[in-house]
Every structure is written in C-alpha cells, then in structure tokens.
C-alpha cells in the first residue's frame, strides 16, 4: 500500500461539504429506486401452467411450494452436471440467506430451484452448508420456461398465487440480482469498493479481475459446511 492508494486528507469542514454534495446524489438514487419499485408493483402478470417439481418429500406442485403464503421468490441456481462444486457466484449469493423467517410477515417465501437431480442438489446443499429450501426442476420444463434452462445461467423469478393458480410477476438476471444481495452493498461503501477492474476508481486504487475476490464454492463449504471450523 502506497501513498498513491490513499484518499486525500482534508479538514473536517471540507470533508463534510463533499459528503453533503454526495448525499444529494445518493438521495436522488434512492428516490429513483423507489420509482422503479413502484413500477415493478404495477407490472401485469402471466398465468403459469401447473408444474410439478421435486422436493425433499417427493413431487410437489408449484402452487404447493408457496405453503400457506401467496408470494414466492425463486432463485434459479446454475447447475453443471457431474461437477462436485457448482457455480461459485450462485453458491456465494445463496449462502447469505440464513434467516428468511421475516418474509412470513409479508406473506412470502424464498426458495432455490435448480436443474440438478434432487439427490445431487440436496447433497450439494449439505456440502456447502446452504440453509435454504431446494427443489429440482430436472424432470420439469419449469426452469426452461422461466429463463433458467439446463446449461443456462442463473435467474430470479417472483410469483403470486391466487388459490391454485400461479402467476409470474417479475424476472431478472445478471446484475439485476445485486439488489437482493447485502455483500455488494457493503463492498460499495468501502473506500476501495469492490476492487474490480471495471470500476471507475482513482489512480492507484487496488483492482483485480471481476469476481477475482469472490469466495469459491470450496471456500463457502469451508466456512459454512458440515466440516467448517468452529474455532
């Protein structure tokens, strides 16, 4: 670390003025996100077929995955057949969600669906210490129909149930997933940010390849899996 990799040092008055200038932009961004969320709530929806997926207790209708809730968030986890370690981005993202009970107050549930065969998917869940509920769409067209086909990327879909009828209300992928993650939000308030080469950072700031600092699936397993250290 060199002097060139440090922010300039100023007096408290100058620092506060710069912070106040930044706050104006931060507040504007917050209001814009509120407007986007309002538009999302006003989206129409599309009726879904009566899919059957595989769960830990056997076949389950999509409508029944909601349990007694009306809203359902589904993260479609990437799956590579025959691989011991699955997508480290998906593994890291889903490892964040260990306390989802608060969603019950909002009449909602959040689960993982993957193209992997159920027994392999559940074995992987245990290996990496994942705490979410997993389902398999290996024997159903559900994944392909919600933009997460076999061999495809990750996705996030949201559904609304009215009786036994399920509707798709929203979908995103790529960087659209970031808004659900606290990891990137925490990185973005750090002086050096995500430290990735695409970011607009001052000269001398530490930067590396995109995703180069993300934890690998084996790292996640070491931290949270059954063999994780308790020290």
């Amino acid at each position: 670390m060199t002097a060139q990799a440090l922010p300039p040092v100023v007096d408290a008055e100058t620092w506060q003025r710069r912070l106040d200038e930044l706050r104006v932009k931060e507040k504007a961004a917050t209001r814009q996100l509120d407007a986007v969320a309002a538009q999302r709530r006003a989206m129409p929806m599309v009726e879904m077929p009566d899919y059957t997926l595989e769960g830990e207790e056997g076949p389950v209708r999509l409508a029944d995955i909601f349990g007694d809730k009306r809203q359902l968030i589904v993260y479609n986890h990437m799956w590579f057949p025959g691989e011991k370690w699955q997508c480290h981005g998906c593994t890291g993202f889903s490892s964040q969600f260990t306390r989802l009970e608060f969603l019950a107050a909002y009449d909602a549930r959040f689960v993982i669906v993957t193209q992997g065969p159920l027994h392999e998917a559940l074995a992987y869940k245990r290996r990496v210490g994942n705490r979410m509920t997993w389902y398999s769409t290996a024997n159903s067209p559900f994944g392909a129909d919600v933009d997460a086909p076999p061999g495809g990327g990750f996705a996030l879909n949201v559904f609304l149930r009215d009786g036994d009828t399920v509707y798709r209300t929203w979908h995103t992928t790529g960087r659209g997933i970031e808004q659900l993650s606290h990891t990137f939000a925490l990185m973005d308030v750090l002086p050096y940010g995500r430290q990735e080469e695409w970011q607009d950072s001052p000269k001398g700031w530490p930067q590396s390849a995109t995703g180069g600092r993300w934890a690998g699936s084996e790292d996640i397993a070491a931290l949270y899996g059954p063999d994780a250290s308790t020290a």
Side-chain angles (χ1 to χ4, degrees):
M1 196 69 68
T2 67
Q4 286 72 35
L6 295 174
V9 178
V10 298
D11 60 80
E13 182 178 349
T14 300
W15 181 86
Q16 186 62 55
R17 184 173 65 252
R18 294 287 297 274
L19 179 64
D20 292 343
E21 293 170 354
L22 176 62
R23 186 75 74 238
V24 172
K25 294 182 178 181
E26 290 176 336
K27 290 294 185 182
T30 297
R31 288 190 289 270
Q32 180 62 28
L33 286 174
D34 289 342
V36 169
Q39 186 174 353
R40 186 183 299 119
R41 291 191 296 273
M43 278 280 293
M45 58 188 184
V46 60
E47 185 175 344
M48 303 296 288
D50 188 14
Y51 296 102
T52 297
L53 282 67
E54 295 291 328
E56 290 193 54
E57 298 180 359
V60 56
R61 296 173 61 218
L62 177 60
D64 293 331
I65 291 176
F66 287 72
D68 61 352
K69 306 298 184 287
R70 295 192 65 207
Q71 301 172 101
L72 178 69
I73 303 169
V74 171
Y75 182 73
N76 298 94
H77 196 297
M78 293 175 66
W79 191 264
F80 304 107
E83 297 293 329
K84 178 179 180 180
W85 300 108
Q86 297 298 325
C87 170
H88 71 290
C90 292
T91 303
F93 173 79
S94 57
S95 72
Q96 301 173 64
F97 303 107
T98 59
R99 297 178 179 178
L100 292 167
E101 293 80 8
F102 75 93
L103 285 173
Y106 296 89
D107 200 17
R109 191 179 184 212
F110 185 10
V111 303
I112 288 180
V113 172
T114 186
Q115 291 285 353
L118 182 66
H119 69 282
E120 294 182 16
L122 294 180
Y124 186 70
K125 170 188 171 178
R126 290 189 292 271
R127 186 177 307 129
V128 297
N130 191 282
R131 300 284 295 277
M132 297 180 70
T133 303
W134 286 50
Y135 297 89
S136 171
T137 186
N139 299 311
S140 165
F142 173 75
D145 290 351
V146 296
D147 300 291
F154 61 91
L156 187 126
N157 286 278
V158 182
F159 304 93
L160 179 66
R161 179 177 61 83
D162 183 21
D164 281 339
T165 304
V166 175
Y167 300 90
R168 189 185 188 195
T169 65
W170 188 65
H171 163 266
T172 193
T173 189
R175 295 195 65 190
I177 299 293
E178 287 185 16
Q179 62 182 297
L180 284 84
S181 169
H182 69 258
T183 57
F184 292 115
L186 290 174
M187 293 175 201
D188 286 343
V189 300
L190 296 172
Y192 298 127
R194 305 185 194 186
Q195 302 181 42
E196 295 186 347
E197 57 191 1
W198 62 270
Q199 290 192 291
D200 182 5
S201 298
K203 184 178 180 180
W205 254 226
Q207 290 183 298
S208 54
T210 300
R213 294 177 182 268
W214 297 4
S217 298
E218 293 181 65
D219 301 319
I220 297 296
L223 289 170
Y224 307 119
D227 298 323
S229 172
T230 57

